[in-house]
Amino acid sequence: MSRISRRSLLGYSGTATAGAVLGGTAAAQPAQAAEAEQAGEAEQAGATAPADFPNGTLFSGNSQLVQGDMNPDLTIKFSVGVSDAPAANVISPLEIAEALNELAATKGWPPITFYGTPAPAPLN
């Protein structure tokens, strides 16, 4: 076995590849393998968890097309403010971002990653 720890291997390559590399070692030590898998899943969940944006945050994103000597650019900005609404009636910024991406895709634009301001953090 090399000097690469299971935890670092899981963090870099995912559980399937790590299991293949580790082979029978994980089966021989199930408690350690389960712990390493949980650590890898926790790291992945933390990396993909969206930021928590306050009500009324301004979001913006852009997309570019490459068409010969032209470089068309699409910029979209939006903000969502909801107050005293039941949960069933709340429209989240992520839902707006997904809907705008669907619209842009129908017109041939690549997906847009929207960022919230003032702190530049990705929404989607």
Side-chain angles (χ1 to χ4, degrees):
M1 180 90 185
S2 70
R3 299 181 136 193
I4 299 174
S5 72
R6 287 187 184 123
R7 208 170 268 210
S8 64
L9 186 59
L10 287 171
Y12 290 112
S13 62
T15 57
T17 305
V21 171
L22 295 173
T25 307
Q29 300 170 348
Q32 289 178 346
E35 178 184 291
E37 186 174 334
Q38 288 174 349
E41 290 171 359
E43 287 176 13
Q44 287 178 342
T48 60
D52 187 25
F53 295 101
N55 197 26
T57 298
L58 176 63
F59 296 96
S60 64
N62 67 352
S63 184
Q64 295 181 340
L65 291 175
V66 178
Q67 296 181 337
D69 58 347
M70 295 177 41
N71 292 320
D73 185 61
L74 170 67
T75 300
I76 298 177
K77 297 178 183 184
F78 70 92
S79 179
V80 180
V82 179
S83 61
D84 301 327
N89 298 104
V90 172
I91 299 172
S92 74
L94 185 56
E95 290 172 313
I96 298 293
E98 290 170 351
L100 290 170
N101 266 320
E102 287 177 21
L103 175 62
T106 65
K107 301 293 185 175
W109 291 94
I112 302 168
T113 299
F114 290 94
Y115 293 90
T117 55
L123 170 65
N124 57 339

